[in-house]
Amino acid sequence: MSNQNSEPAPRPVDEIDLALLRALQADARAPIGTLSDAAGVSRATAYARLARLREEGIITALTVTVHPKRVGLGVSAVVLIRSTPDNWKTWSSMLPILEAMDEVEYAADLAGEVDLLLLVRLRDVEHLQRFVTEELRGRIPGIGSVRTLLVLNQTPERSLVLPS
């Protein structure tokens, strides 16, 4: 039995779409002429393709990438959280809590030994300590253990990975 109210499946992303996405990844402010040249299509086709990519939710935002240390966030850490099975919240109920934490750049619900992974950006080690002891433990019930890994170096810094 089919659901008549379901949205049509998005068209598959092809090489033209990928070329446009790569060009936007390199420079989100690139003019349409540069984007159409990169994809080898007309400007009208590039406009239409970009509109479709936005409408289908493939492009969700054009954003700015900020160098954390240059804005005063000198400490990066990966935080691994294990839950207690009796009091752990569902992923959907944790989303608003995690999204409200300015320090959280990335969060992932995991299967395996660890239940939640966070990439956090903080001013200093004292900020990290307050984040773990007050923010996490104070706002997310059911935390069994927290393991914090300091990030020494990282690369690449890109907003997304595209298929090659």
Side-chain angles (χ1 to χ4, degrees):
M1 187 167 174
S2 68
N3 182 352
Q4 295 177 352
N5 294 330
S6 66
E7 295 180 24
R11 289 188 329 172
V13 175
D14 63 15
E15 289 304 315
I16 293 170
D17 296 332
L18 289 173
L20 290 168
L21 291 170
R22 285 186 191 101
L24 282 172
Q25 187 178 31
D27 181 2
R29 298 182 312 161
I32 194 68
T34 302
L35 298 174
S36 64
D37 289 347
V41 296
S42 71
R43 292 166 54 106
T45 298
Y47 272 121
R49 290 293 188 108
L50 290 170
R52 181 181 61 81
L53 292 170
R54 283 190 297 274
E55 288 166 7
E56 292 180 357
I58 294 167
I59 295 175
T60 57
L62 298 177
T63 186
V64 173
T65 302
V66 176
H67 190 290
K69 288 183 181 177
R70 292 185 180 163
V71 294
L73 301 173
V75 172
S76 297
V78 174
V79 179
L80 305 172
I81 300 172
R82 293 180 80 175
S83 68
T84 58
D86 56 332
N87 200 17
W88 190 241
K89 297 182 100 174
T90 62
W91 174 250
S92 60
S93 66
M94 275 194 282
L95 279 176
I97 297 168
L98 295 169
E99 289 172 347
M101 295 178 173
D102 292 336
E103 298 88 349
V104 177
E105 180 175 314
Y106 174 83
D109 185 20
L110 304 177
E113 291 182 34
V114 175
D115 298 297
L116 185 63
L117 177 145
L118 305 176
L119 172 61
V120 296
R121 309 284 186 181
L122 309 114
R123 290 182 302 280
D124 50 36
V125 175
E126 290 79 19
H127 186 187
L128 173 60
Q129 180 185 16
R130 279 191 311 279
F131 176 77
V132 171
T133 59
E134 296 171 21
E135 284 290 309
L136 286 181
R137 292 192 182 273
R139 295 179 68 190
I140 300 177
I143 292 178
S145 67
V146 176
R147 184 171 181 195
T148 304
L149 308 169
L150 290 178
V151 175
L152 301 177
N153 297 294
Q154 68 182 52
T155 193
E157 292 187 18
R158 53 184 167 218
S159 61
L160 60 120
V161 177
L162 297 171
S164 50

